[in-house]
Amino acid sequence: MSERFDIVVAGAGMVGACAALSLARSGFRIALVEPVPIGIESLENGAVYAERVSAISPVSEQILTRLGVWSGLDQSRLCRYDQMFIWHENGDAIIRFDSFEIARENLGTIIENQQILRALRMACESQSEIEWFEPDAIVSIAENSHSVVSLELKSGVTLDAELLLVADGRNSSTRDLAGLKAVHQNYDQIAIIANVATENTHQYTAWQRFLGSGPLAMLPLANGDSSIVWSCDTVLGHELLDMDDDLFCSALSRAFEYRLGEVKSIGRRLGFPLGWHSCDQWLRDRILLIGDAAHGVHPLAGQGVNLGFSDVDLLTRLIGGLDNPWHRPRLRQFERQRKSETAIATHLFSGLKWLYGTDKYGINRVRNLGMHAVQASPWCRRVLIKQAIRNMA
Ligand SMILES: Cc1cc2nc3c(=O)[nH]c(=O)nc-3n(C[C@H](O)[C@H](O)[C@H](O)COP(=O)(O)OP(=O)(O)OC[C@H]3O[C@@H](n4cnc5c(N)ncnc54)[C@H](O)[C@@H]3O)c2cc1C
């Protein structure tokens, strides 16, 4: 006996939960399948800020506001930043972006991932059109483009749907089950993340210093601390992860040129392997990839989940309100449009990683001159910053 839904969403991460909510609000009956049982209680704010944070763009803020999710966030833990400050270890150029130059109050907001997840899950749980299958996972997919896609879950339950949305992250096993291939490019780098207290205040600025070994970002947190994302070669990364706290704080202060004075203390450090990935095909018959299951970019520009929220937004605009979510021309339009937008982002960030990571003398000089030119041109800065925070009207 199978249960019938309009859409099955595989993965209740930030993008999957957002998709389920947005499409349920458009009138579809949704099944949300998630293997990891994450209770709301485990997502409650702790006294200590969580290490995993995201820079959420104003466009994503608008999307979450329209869904009524933004107001469910603990506003006292959100940190808006109105400046970005970028410099390179080799060269004297500095680029400074200010929100007032584009007539905005801020350039983005730093939020703990678990807060976003919590607000999304609470909104999903109060939506009667969404049924949860958790903990559970899809173990087989039988597709028939003329009728429905039939999914067998680990629990033995069978689900039939008009459309399967695959949102189970970069190592998506549902994507593999569906036979949709991803190309992964490993950078042989890791990103170390941690929360730190610094001598001087963060000034509501997102700081980024490019080092030969990779970018080092300090993002402001609402309690006055900063969240670091230190991307570097894997060997150096493991040495940094293994250092004791005092040594690490000294290395970090030096690497950051003491811009915020000494780093006084540090919380737990976590390491994430870095790379990008993309898929040639996002849509096959009744199966569609979104979020990190479809695309993955370097975190240097803080765009991964923002791209995922934009997937959700476009998909909802294209199929929301239809009688049947499986509208092939609209799904193809979604695939074309988002594939080209995310491909630009993926290759732009890879290009920036290369440009800022190289220490060849000629390139150093050109890069430094280019950065001076950007800083000297308000027009250029406006174009770049609008591109960086995407689609700001
Ligand atoms: C160090 C670092 C810093 C970052 N900073 C930023 C930032 O500042 N701004 C930004 O926009 N992005 C940032 N990102 C990227 C961002 O974290 C990801 O793009 C985002 O988490 C992707 O969300 P998702 O829901 O697509 O996938 P995930 O977050 O990976 O969620 C996938 C979900 O699917 C579930 N799942 C797994 N297997 C299955 C299965 N078989 N069936 C069903 N469900 C399954 C998982 O349990 C999970 O709940 C950063 C990434 C890193 C590594």
Side-chain angles (χ1 to χ4, degrees):
M1 193 40 197
S2 61
E3 291 188 54
R4 180 91 189 229
F5 292 88
D6 294 316
I7 302 173
V8 172
V9 180
M14 290 188 278
V15 176
C18 184
L21 181 65
S22 183
L23 292 162
R25 293 265 169 85
S26 307
F28 295 123
R29 214 174 148 242
I30 312 280
L32 190 46
V33 183
E34 166 63 48
V36 183
I38 315 165
I40 290 280
E41 327 71 58
S42 68
L43 301 171
E44 295 291 346
N45 287 334
V48 176
Y49 277 48
E51 295 83 11
R52 291 219 62 181
V53 303
S54 296
I56 296 299
S57 72
V59 174
S60 295
E61 177 179 342
Q62 282 166 14
I63 294 169
L64 296 176
T65 301
R66 278 201 296 276
L67 288 171
V69 171
W70 195 264
S71 56
L73 300 169
D74 176 351
Q75 305 294 313
S76 71
R77 307 253 302 208
L78 310 187
C79 191
R80 297 179 187 277
Y81 55 96
D82 50 25
Q83 283 192 8
M84 284 166 75
F85 192 97
I86 298 165
W87 76 113
H88 198 287
E89 69 171 336
N90 296 321
D92 58 357
I94 287 169
I95 302 179
R96 182 181 228 128
F97 295 113
D98 270 286
S99 59
F100 74 79
E101 289 186 292
I102 50 169
R104 293 273 168 168
E105 279 177 12
N106 65 77
L107 298 175
T109 309
I110 307 298
I111 313 178
E112 294 154 278
N113 288 6
Q114 67 179 47
Q115 267 233 61
I116 304 175
L117 255 185
R118 180 174 179 277
L120 281 166
R121 286 183 78 97
M122 285 182 62
C124 284
E125 283 174 13
S126 64
Q127 195 74 38
S128 60
E129 293 82 358
I130 300 178
E131 195 168 324
W132 287 78
F133 294 83
E134 180 190 68
D136 220 331
I138 297 166
V139 290
S140 79
I141 303 174
E143 220 186 326
N144 176 346
S145 57
H146 300 298
S147 55
V148 291
V149 55
S150 287
L151 310 164
E152 195 192 329
L153 304 189
K154 206 170 169 185
S155 59
V157 171
T158 309
L159 306 178
D160 285 343
E162 299 292 340
L163 180 66
L164 167 62
L165 271 189
V166 179
D168 56 353
R170 60 181 287 164
N171 297 317
S172 169
S173 58
T174 314
R175 179 185 63 208
D176 296 343
L177 267 183
L180 290 163
K181 298 261 176 296
V183 178
H184 290 266
Q185 172 74 52
N186 186 344
Y187 289 135
D188 197 17
Q189 284 200 323
I190 60 172
I192 300 171
I193 62 167
N195 294 339
V196 299
T198 51
E199 202 176 349
N200 302 326
T201 141
H202 52 53
Q203 300 150 51
Y204 298 94
T205 298
W207 307 83
Q208 182 129 264
R209 183 176 192 222
F210 285 91
L211 303 160
S213 54
L216 166 59
M218 282 230 199
L219 307 172
L221 296 175
N223 64 355
D225 289 351
S226 297
S227 158
I228 63 158
V229 186
W230 189 348
S231 307
C232 55
D233 299 339
T234 306
V235 175
L236 172 62
H238 285 291
E239 282 169 20
L240 289 169
L241 279 172
D242 291 342
M243 273 179 190
D244 72 34
D245 283 0
D246 288 344
L247 267 179
F248 185 89
C249 287
S250 307
L252 177 59
S253 307
R254 268 195 313 279
F256 205 61
E257 270 193 327
Y258 303 92
R259 275 293 153 166
L260 299 182
E262 293 280 353
V263 175
K264 292 190 299 185
S265 63
I266 183 158
R268 187 168 62 141
R269 278 167 262 162
L270 302 173
F272 292 86
L274 291 178
W276 62 263
H277 63 274
S278 63
C279 300
D280 260 357
Q281 205 184 354
W282 291 23
L283 175 68
R284 215 200 62 207
D285 295 329
R286 290 173 179 269
I287 302 171
L288 180 66
L289 308 179
I290 58 169
D292 270 22
H295 47 75
V297 295
H298 194 290
L300 75 86
Q303 284 295 340
V305 78
N306 290 304
L307 291 170
F309 289 148
S310 291
D311 292 348
V312 173
D313 187 48
L314 180 65
L315 185 61
T316 308
R317 281 190 278 127
L318 288 171
I319 64 168
L322 298 178
D323 288 341
N324 185 330
W326 190 66
H327 188 294
R328 197 166 165 73
R330 298 222 180 158
L331 295 175
R332 284 281 301 134
Q333 183 185 342
F334 170 85
E335 182 193 32
R336 270 197 309 276
Q337 194 169 326
R338 290 304 294 153
K339 238 175 82 174
S340 69
E341 285 167 5
T342 54
I344 292 169
T346 305
H347 296 298
L348 178 69
F349 302 143
S350 273
L352 284 176
K353 179 198 163 287
W354 174 81
L355 179 66
Y356 282 90
T358 187
D359 59 1
K360 291 201 172 74
Y361 176 71
I363 294 176
N364 273 343
R365 275 180 59 87
V366 172
R367 182 184 56 224
N368 201 46
L369 285 172
M371 288 176 71
H372 274 297
V374 168
Q375 183 57 26
S377 160
W379 175 83
C380 199
R381 286 203 306 281
R382 273 199 299 275
V383 170
L384 284 174
I385 196 63
K386 283 189 178 180
Q387 183 56 34
I389 57 181
R390 295 179 43 73
N391 306 330
M392 289 175 69

